[in-house]
Amino acid sequence: MDSQVLVALGLSLVGGLSTSLGALLVVLSNAPNLKMLGLLQGFAAGLMLSISFFDLAHNAINSIGFLKGNIWFFSGVIFFAFIANFIPEPTLAPSSDVKSKKTNGNAKGKDIMKKHRRQVMYSGIVTAIGISLHNFPEGMAVFLGSIKGLRVGLNLALAIALHNIPEGVAVALPVYFATQSKWQAFKLASLSGLAEPLGVIIVAYLFPSSLSPEILEGLLGAVGGVMAFLTLHEMLPLAFDYAGQKQAVKAVFFGMAFMSASLYFLEISLPADMSL
């Protein structure tokens, strides 16, 4: 393997595995109650929406034009809206007849909690997939930056590392709540960060010979549409249910502002002739 690729892989691992640090912040604390979970789901939804609109869709529109960028974005929305029809929603299994009201009440309460955990687990998986897809171009940027020089690649990797810590929290938190397993939460968050070194490998060995830059930008725009749909369809309803609409909306905008600031500082760390 080329030495430049090895350096880029090492730097991308620094950035990608910082999601593990975010996961550690979750697993070293107590499992949240439903209201706190709702607020943090709202925050995670804000992160996802900011990535979708201000990063992926924005870059696609700037790179391939307003019309093509929007076509790719809404193609992603329509595609996953269609796919969502075949994804079973978490539902309550019918409760068996019980002999006493007390037993019936206990069984119903347990069923409701099981439903909450299934919903939250699904939300965590959605977040992990969305953030993994978002991390691919970050790995590509680290590779291109490291070609320009070790200092550029190192600065970019450190900026991405700080940027990825809240993403690790967003993945690990719902998984921890749903499974009560610190290991499962840590593992899934860490795996989502490994998309960055995978992005290095893809850009080093497959790009640009097998994929034109226009198609790549269009696909990333479509990923933005998928993420936007998943966030509005799956994550926001949970945040509203658990934290209340007013508090959840505040958490969403806080998450959007946080990620927008993170994307800005990441952008200014890039060389003038590169963009993420």
Side-chain angles (χ1 to χ4, degrees):
M1 188 177 287
D2 189 276
S3 60
Q4 279 188 326
V5 178
L6 286 173
V7 170
L9 274 175
L11 292 175
S12 66
L13 281 170
V14 171
L17 291 180
S18 63
T19 55
S20 301
L21 181 57
L24 279 177
L25 297 177
V26 172
V27 301
L28 293 178
S29 61
N30 295 325
N33 57 37
L34 284 177
K35 183 174 182 181
M36 179 58 66
L37 181 73
L39 290 173
L40 292 170
Q41 281 283 285
F43 177 79
L47 299 182
M48 296 276 281
L49 288 174
S50 186
I51 291 169
S52 175
F53 290 114
F54 304 148
D55 182 22
L56 300 177
H58 173 76
N59 287 342
I61 289 171
N62 283 344
S63 299
I64 61 179
F66 183 83
L67 178 61
K68 289 183 179 178
N70 274 279
I71 289 173
W72 277 101
F73 178 86
F74 285 104
S75 295
V77 172
I78 293 169
F79 169 76
F80 211 85
F82 175 76
I83 295 296
N85 291 326
F86 302 97
I87 299 175
E89 292 286 340
T91 56
L92 285 172
S95 299
S96 58
D97 292 333
V98 289
K99 294 182 179 179
S100 66
K101 291 183 179 180
K102 181 177 179 180
T103 305
N104 184 59
N106 290 338
K108 184 177 180 181
K110 289 179 181 178
D111 280 345
I112 290 173
M113 183 53 66
K114 286 180 181 178
K115 179 183 179 181
H116 286 318
R117 294 194 189 283
R118 285 196 295 269
Q119 288 176 324
V120 172
M121 184 65 187
Y122 183 64
S123 173
I125 292 172
V126 163
T127 306
I129 293 171
I131 287 176
S132 296
L133 293 172
H134 163 69
N135 283 343
F136 275 111
E138 291 182 355
M140 295 176 180
V142 169
F143 175 75
L144 296 174
S146 64
I147 289 176
K148 291 179 177 291
L150 181 60
R151 184 187 62 82
V152 174
L154 183 59
N155 288 342
L156 183 56
L158 291 175
I160 288 174
L162 294 175
H163 161 85
N164 281 354
I165 291 173
E167 294 180 355
V169 173
V171 174
L173 183 74
V175 177
Y176 183 29
F177 178 86
T179 64
Q180 299 295 296
S181 169
K182 295 183 178 182
W183 167 243
Q184 292 294 332
F186 181 81
K187 180 175 69 174
L188 192 58
S190 299
L191 287 174
S192 70
L194 291 178
E196 285 195 21
L198 186 58
V200 170
I201 293 171
I202 288 174
V203 76
Y205 294 109
L206 300 179
F207 182 82
S209 59
S210 62
L211 194 64
S212 73
E214 181 172 329
I215 293 177
L216 177 63
E217 288 293 346
L219 288 172
L220 291 174
V223 167
V226 170
M227 288 175 64
F229 178 86
L230 288 172
T231 302
L232 297 173
H233 188 260
E234 300 295 338
M235 297 176 71
L236 273 186
L238 284 181
F240 287 168
D241 285 346
Y242 296 160
Q245 290 189 10
K246 290 183 179 180
Q247 296 301 317
V249 167
K250 292 176 184 176
V252 168
F253 279 108
F254 181 73
M256 292 183 73
F258 187 94
M259 184 54 68
S260 295
S262 177
L263 290 169
Y264 169 74
F265 287 114
L266 184 58
E267 182 70 23
I268 63 175
S269 71
L270 289 167
D273 57 343
M274 283 181 63
S275 62
L276 186 61

